[in-house]
Structures are given as C-alpha cells and as structure tokens.
Amino acid sequence: MDGDDGRRITITAIAREAGVSVPTVSRVLNGRSDVAPDTRERVEELLRQHGYQKRGSRTVSRAGLVDLVFNDLDSPWAVEIIRGVEDVGHGAGVGTVVSAIHRQSTAARQWLQNLRARATDGVIFVTSHLSPPLHAQLRRLNVPVVVVDPAGVPATDVPTVGATNWAGGLAATEHLLSLGHRRIGFVAGPTHLLCSRARLDGHRAALEAAGAPIESQLVHPGDFYHASGFAAGTALLDLDEPPTAIFAASDQMAFGVYEAVRRRGLRIPDDVSVVGFDDLPEARWASPPLTTVRQPLVEMGRLAARTVLRLAQGEGIDSPRVELATHLVVRDSTAPPRRP
C-alpha cells in the first residue's frame, strides 16, 4: 500500500497503530461484518489518515453493489431513476440494491444497520436530506455518496445530480403566456425540496417579466402525487375568477388536475390549459397528451451511478454539482384561452 506521502504503508503497520491483528484489518478492508463497530471505526480512520489504497485497486467495483435509497417507491418517477442506475450498473457488472426508508428514522437506522453487515461500492440518495450524523457514519464506513435532487443544501463534499428546475418552471409559464394566458394557476411541490422551490421561482419570474398578476390564491400546495393535484385543481377551479391555465409541478399532479377539470364538465385545452413537469412515459398517452417539462430522469440516474462508481474507484469527478438541462415538450393539453 502507498500513502499520500509516497511512503509504503503496510497492513501490519496499520494493525500495529490500531492495536489490532492483521486479519482484523483485512476483514475491515474486505467489508466483513465480523468486526466490532468501534474497532472498524478506528481502523477505517487510520486507513483514511494514511491515504490507504490497495495496489491494483482500480477495478470496476469492490463489492459489486450500489445502494439506491428513496424516501418512497410509489411513483413512476422513481422507476425512471432506477432504470438509469440499472443501465450503468449492468454495463459495469454491478448490482443495484433498492431501498425505501419512508422518511422514518427507524427505517433509516435499520437500513444503515443492514449496510454495515455487507459491502457496498456507494450509496445514491434520491430527494433526501443527508443528515450530518448519517453522512459521518457513511464516511466512517468509507462509502461514497451521491444525492439526486437533494432536499436541502448538502455538505460540500457530497456530489449532487439534478435538473434545471428554475429554467423548466420559467419555460412552462412562458409557453402559457405566449398563448395569451394571464391568469395561471400553479400547483407546487413539497416546499422542503429545492427542486420544488426552484420550479415555483421560475414560474414567478416568468409572470413578473410579462407583467402578469402574481396572486397567492393562484398558488396551491401539493406533494407531487395525483390526489394533491386533484385537490389543488378543484380549489383553483372553485375561485370566483378561475385560471385559464394550470401549471402543475409534476406530471402526476397534472393528471390530478385533469380529473378535477373532467368533474367540472370542462375540457382540456378548450376551457383550461394544463402543463406538467417530468415527462413521464404516460404523459404522451394521456387524453389529451400532456404538455410538460421534460427532465432527463433516466440520465440523472445514469450520471449518479457513474459518479458514485468513479468515487468508489478512487477517481476524481468533473464537478460536484451537476444540473442536466430540461426542455418543454408541447403536446395537446395547451391552447390559447377561450375569449369571453
């Protein structure tokens, strides 16, 4: 083994400094679970301090597994991310372990306990907040981490992959404005997610630039799922002066708006134009096909997987913060507003 200072460092030297046996250090290096947690932590800290790297360690994978962790798995959006990660993993001979922690601390603790019992080449978190304690524990395990669409601002040493959400929100609203709409409803995503806030900010920026009204009653909260889109769409259509167009911050919420419009006996886009965000596969099969902002979900998954595997191999990455471009896909759910 070579250290950062160029001196040759041996497992024996690490074992002596840690006060453990050579086989114990070997078990830690190989990701074995039969090592006491405090001993593992002490050995891993010394390996990091000495810049330990096995000779010939630049193989594709040490464990042959990447962990992909969601808060929930009940969304076609998650399936697209999984497809991207699996594409890269399959090509690299690496399996994908998919988990859902349901935003529960007990589930997160159980997941971490399971992770300690086996080896992994890295972890990809999706729409998650990587808490400092969890990040510290993963660092002690020497596990690289990448976050897709982070909930908050991650640590500076945690790479992130996202999309140009602000630009997407801007483009969707500019499209509706170009058709002649001035009273535009907005169904927002969860406020704790950076991507949600960016989409709303882009929407407001387009309205402001066009001199269109920015009214609080035209913005309704949602959670990216169908039911919240239906509830928000219903509330918007119940206004004394309802909007002529509704921009939903996810395709699933847009489909909920579709149902709210249908139950009012109205038609899309004749009575109300609707725009979504994501471009899920079913968007093109909706009736009418949904105009939406495409974010490259599969490619986001691919990039996250490539990044975490490069980190696992000890390689550098080009940028710790990457946003892939979004673009508007115009279909049949938008049209000029009907004149009074």
Side-chain angles (χ1 to χ4, degrees), residues 147-336:
V147 180
V148 176
D149 265 346
V153 179
T156 55
D157 61 340
V158 177
T160 63
V161 176
T164 53
N165 291 288
W166 186 90
L170 182 79
T173 305
E174 286 182 336
H175 168 66
L176 293 171
L177 290 165
S178 73
L179 293 173
H181 296 278
R182 287 297 179 271
R183 191 165 177 80
I184 302 171
F186 185 84
V187 186
T191 56
H192 70 280
L193 294 179
L194 290 176
C195 61
S196 298
R197 300 198 294 273
R199 292 170 197 178
L200 177 56
D201 289 344
H203 166 70
R204 285 174 168 160
L207 292 176
E208 183 177 0
I214 302 177
E215 301 179 23
S216 59
Q217 65 177 345
L218 290 177
V219 178
H220 276 259
D223 60 8
F224 285 159
Y225 293 96
H226 295 85
S228 67
F230 172 75
T234 300
L236 287 167
L237 294 173
D238 279 343
L239 294 173
D240 293 337
E241 187 182 352
T244 61
I246 298 175
F247 172 24
S250 78
D251 284 354
Q252 288 181 275
M253 293 195 300
F255 297 144
V257 172
Y258 268 42
E259 180 62 13
V261 173
R262 186 191 69 80
R263 293 196 188 185
R264 284 292 186 279
L266 302 174
R267 292 181 299 174
I268 300 171
D270 305 68
D271 301 302
V272 183
S273 288
V274 179
V275 178
F277 201 111
D278 286 330
D279 195 26
L280 297 175
E282 54 264 45
R284 61 182 296 197
W285 302 110
S287 182
L290 177 65
T291 294
T292 185
V293 176
R294 182 182 186 275
Q295 62 169 336
L297 297 170
V298 173
E299 183 54 35
M300 288 163 63
R302 290 190 186 116
L303 180 57
R306 287 194 294 265
T307 301
V308 83
L309 288 176
R310 289 187 66 177
L311 292 172
Q313 294 168 329
E315 299 176 6
I317 57 176
D318 296 331
S319 173
R321 303 284 182 265
V322 178
E323 288 189 344
L324 301 182
T326 56
H327 69 270
L328 184 70
V329 180
V330 179
R331 298 193 179 100
D332 298 336
S333 66
T334 52

Side-chain angles (χ1 to χ4, degrees), residues 68-70 75-87 96 124-127 148-149 161 280 295-302 304-305:
L68 179 57
V69 183
F70 294 86
S75 167
W77 184 91
V79 175
E80 297 301 293
I81 298 290
I82 294 171
R83 282 179 53 202
V85 174
E86 286 265 283
D87 282 352
T96 305
I124 301 169
F125 290 101
V126 184
T127 60
V148 176
D149 265 346
V161 176
L280 297 175
Q295 62 169 336
L297 297 170
V298 173
E299 183 54 35
M300 288 163 63
R302 290 190 186 116

Side-chain angles (χ1 to χ4, degrees), residues 1 8-19 22 25 46 50:
M1 299 180 290
R8 185 163 177 77
I9 300 169
T10 65
I11 291 180
T12 302
I14 294 290
R16 185 183 307 114
E17 190 171 349
V22 171
V25 176
L46 287 170
H50 289 289

